[in-house]
Amino acid sequence: MTEDAKQAIRNKLPDEDVIYSLAELFKMFGDPTRAKILECLQIKDLYVGEIAEILEMSISAVSHQLRVLRSAKLVKGTKEGKEVKYSLDDDHVTKILEYGLTHVNE
């Protein structure tokens, strides 16, 4: 491969900050507990206690993971009375989950 061809590829790569952010995003999916929470929320919007019951985990453990997922903008919470109902942040998260499952099930 010529140096010009290599440089042409380098020029098309995203900036380092973007690559770092992408790697951080995929780390969120690298934790089995977070993946389970995301899969639950893909099926139905849920309260923390409901997620904890479904996954047979403590509320504090689920709350911790939801904070991590919120900081990554993968889930959002909507206040309903004294509780917060969680959902996937947007359709992009659904698509990432669907593509990931399709890939691992091939």
Side-chain angles (χ1 to χ4, degrees), residues 15-68:
D15 293 339
E16 283 296 316
D17 290 345
V18 173
I19 292 291
Y20 178 81
S21 295
L22 180 64
E24 289 298 309
L25 171 68
F26 281 114
K27 281 183 190 177
M28 293 296 113
F29 295 94
D31 179 89
T33 299
R34 288 192 292 263
K36 287 179 193 176
I37 291 170
L38 290 169
E39 286 297 329
C40 286
L41 294 176
Q42 186 173 17
I43 296 165
K44 183 178 184 341
D45 297 354
L46 298 164
Y47 298 102
V48 176
E50 293 174 325
I51 298 168
E53 288 177 21
I54 292 165
L55 299 180
E56 299 178 332
M57 295 175 61
S58 71
I59 289 174
S60 65
V62 171
S63 292
H64 170 73
Q65 294 301 337
L66 285 167
R67 277 192 298 279
V68 172

